[in-house]
Amino acid sequence: MSRTLVMDSFLLADAESVVARARAGDAAALEAIYRAFEPPVYNLARRICRSVEDAEDVLQETFFEVCRSIRTFRAEGSLWGWIRTIAASKALMRLRRNKYRDTDELHDEVVAFRREDVGLRMDLEAALERLSDTARAVVWLHDVEGYTHDEIAALMGKTTSFSKSQLARAHQRLRRWLGEEAVA
Amino acid sequence: MSAHLSLEQLLELREPGVEPGTAEARAHLDGCAACAEEFRRLEQRAARLRALPSLRPSRDHWRAVQARLDAERRRRRVRWAGVGSVALAASLLAAVVVRDLAAPAPLEASTELGSVMAQSRMLEEAIRAYGPEARVVDGYTATVAGELEERIARLDRELESSQFLEDAERQDVMVQLWRERVGLLDALVDVHLASASNVGL
């Protein structure tokens, strides 16, 4: 059984029956799905988005879409996998819409300006927050959510090698900011 | 392979499947303590990321999601009922005009009816162009917009039943109902404009 299918039964008891009722338009079943998957959806959104407000908007947009489209969900798949892809897609869309300062040039300027930080051991949360939006999204989707580079590329509308290079850059920076010694 | 593995190569070793050069890199990793240590740190970093505390929203958002779903359902109903009543009223108006041409009578009421219907259409188009269903709104805006849409839906039902009235009073009633509809749509536009200005759009 895949990790996402395990998540379904872990988060939502009797998931099959709840989904069947939700597909028939049962409001209580839709709310049960929201209650079960709100925490992981919000966590994903908050880790990808820059602000609490954006993450909360993504949470609302995700469940609005889930409730509207539950009839199209194929019951043999993982409910969490389906919801998570909607959430990731909405979060990435939000990043694009906000057009945050996300170029490597700008990012490197900031790093150079705050050079005094180098050598200090940063907290992992702070280091993650400090990554560029794209790098943070890639590292989260790949290392935490378990998406493959092909899947991330499809979600972002980029190439697989773009996803790989973003992950490598993210790890280079995390390694430096966390004060871990590089060998190579 | 004598040089140490690059970060890209180490990352590649974590991927499922066999990429070109992976076997060679794997062999190097098995025999190089420094690269093995770097690989272990990489794995640890990913494990630490997965172990970060789960973040929770500060408030419950289910009611806001529900409000959006309800608003969309009402909007769909209003749209269909609106389209139906516009078509109905247009055909009635055409019938009135034809009748009036056949038996000349004052055209003020039918002219006014055409005018308020045009205003209603214009406001509906403005709301449709704004696309409220694709926007995130606060709970207050969703509630007020929902109430207005509910009242418009009720008016549309009244408009549909007004066709059964006697000719003499039908036009006056319809003009009155369409005026009310324009007023409600106008208020709905204001609600959306206020909401948009609050979020700086």
Side-chain angles (χ1 to χ4, degrees):
Chain A
M1 189 183 275
S2 74
R3 189 163 170 259
T4 48
L5 279 171
V6 171
M7 281 281 282
D8 282 2
S9 51
F10 177 70
L11 292 169
L12 184 60
D14 203 10
E16 270 183 42
S17 142
V18 174
V19 168
R21 285 190 287 123
R23 287 160 70 110
D26 182 325
L30 289 170
E31 183 172 357
I33 291 174
Y34 173 85
R35 300 280 168 223
F37 294 99
E38 181 214 61
V41 166
Y42 179 77
N43 191 49
L44 168 69
R46 183 66 191 93
R47 293 298 182 185
I48 291 180
C49 296
R50 190 62 82 181
S51 72
V52 168
E53 290 74 23
D54 281 344
E56 291 185 341
D57 283 352
V58 167
L59 176 70
Q60 280 192 34
E61 286 170 8
T62 299
F63 282 102
F64 181 58
E65 187 67 44
V66 165
C67 294
R68 288 171 85 196
S69 313
I70 189 75
R71 283 187 185 84
T72 67
F73 166 65
R74 288 165 50 183
E76 66 268 24
S78 151
L79 181 59
W80 168 234
W82 180 66
I83 294 175
R84 185 175 60 175
T85 299
I86 294 174
S89 167
K90 299 278 179 197
L92 293 172
M93 206 183 296
R94 173 69 48 158
L95 288 187
R96 281 195 292 271
R97 193 193 300 171
N98 285 357
K99 295 192 178 82
Y100 283 127
R101 296 187 345 150
D102 195 30
T103 64
D104 284 335
E105 288 76 14
L106 273 176
H107 180 77
D108 288 341
E109 275 176 30
V110 174
V111 172
F113 180 70
R114 302 180 67 187
R115 197 165 289 281
E116 66 275 11
D117 285 349
V118 177
L120 293 177
R121 289 181 71 86
M122 285 178 75
D123 172 53
L124 181 60
E125 294 255 18
L128 185 67
E129 191 74 20
R130 199 172 166 194
L131 287 172
S132 70
D133 290 326
T134 308
R136 192 178 60 256
V138 170
V139 82
W140 192 264
L141 291 174
H142 185 274
D143 286 359
V144 180
E145 301 293 341
Y147 279 93
T148 65
H149 285 297
D150 287 345
E151 289 168 334
I152 294 170
L155 277 168
M156 290 188 148
K158 303 276 187 183
T159 62
T160 302
S161 53
F162 174 84
S163 175
K164 286 182 179 180
S165 68
Q166 284 294 320
L167 185 69
R169 282 175 185 215
H171 272 285
Q172 266 167 6
R173 283 170 178 147
L174 289 176
R175 183 172 62 182
R176 192 186 336 152
W177 295 338
L178 294 169
E180 296 173 356
E181 295 292 328
V183 176
Chain B
M1 187 182 286
S2 55
H4 289 305
L5 296 173
S6 67
L7 185 56
E8 287 79 1
Q9 287 173 305
L10 290 170
L11 284 166
E12 203 65 69
L13 287 173
R14 295 168 65 222
E15 296 298 314
V18 181
E19 292 284 326
T22 305
E24 199 184 342
R26 171 81 51 198
H28 174 89
L29 188 69
D30 290 342
C32 175
C35 285
E37 175 60 15
E38 190 61 29
F39 188 71
R40 191 185 61 80
R41 283 193 186 137
L42 184 60
E43 298 268 73
Q44 274 188 347
R45 204 154 48 234
R48 283 174 63 203
L49 282 169
R50 283 193 291 274
L52 282 175
S54 186
L55 303 172
R56 300 269 177 157
S58 56
R59 61 191 170 89
D60 184 40
H61 288 266
W62 174 242
R63 286 189 63 187
V65 173
Q66 253 185 327
R68 285 186 69 185
L69 286 165
D70 289 345
E72 192 194 46
R73 277 190 212 110
R74 273 194 300 269
R75 207 167 290 125
R76 209 178 293 141
R77 221 160 50 220
V78 168
R79 198 172 296 145
W80 283 110
V83 168
S85 51
V86 166
L88 175 67
S91 64
L92 285 173
L93 180 63
V96 167
V97 171
V98 168
R99 186 199 63 196
D100 288 347
L101 285 173
L107 278 173
E108 289 80 12
S110 58
T111 309
E112 191 177 1
L113 183 56
S115 162
V116 285
M117 283 171 61
Q119 284 176 48
S120 172
R121 256 198 312 276
M122 188 188 73
L123 290 166
E124 269 193 292
E125 275 162 21
I127 293 169
R128 200 171 299 133
Y130 175 67
E133 64 274 10
R135 295 171 193 267
V136 174
V137 293
D138 58 90
Y140 176 76
T141 302
T143 305
V144 175
E147 282 169 5
L148 287 169
E149 285 162 0
E150 196 60 59
R151 288 173 64 190
I152 293 169
R154 275 204 300 274
L155 258 183
D156 286 342
R157 287 194 289 277
E158 284 185 59
L159 269 167
E160 280 171 10
S161 38
S162 67
Q163 64 177 303
F164 302 111
L165 295 171
E166 294 293 322
D167 280 1
E169 66 173 328
R170 185 170 57 203
Q171 275 210 51
D172 288 341
V173 169
M174 284 181 70
V175 167
Q176 185 57 39
L177 291 174
W178 278 99
R179 270 199 207 128
E180 280 182 46
R181 195 174 199 276
V182 166
L184 291 173
L185 282 169
D186 209 26
L188 191 55
V189 168
D190 282 345
V191 167
H192 288 309
L193 282 177
S195 168
S197 66
N198 283 343
V199 293
L201 296 175

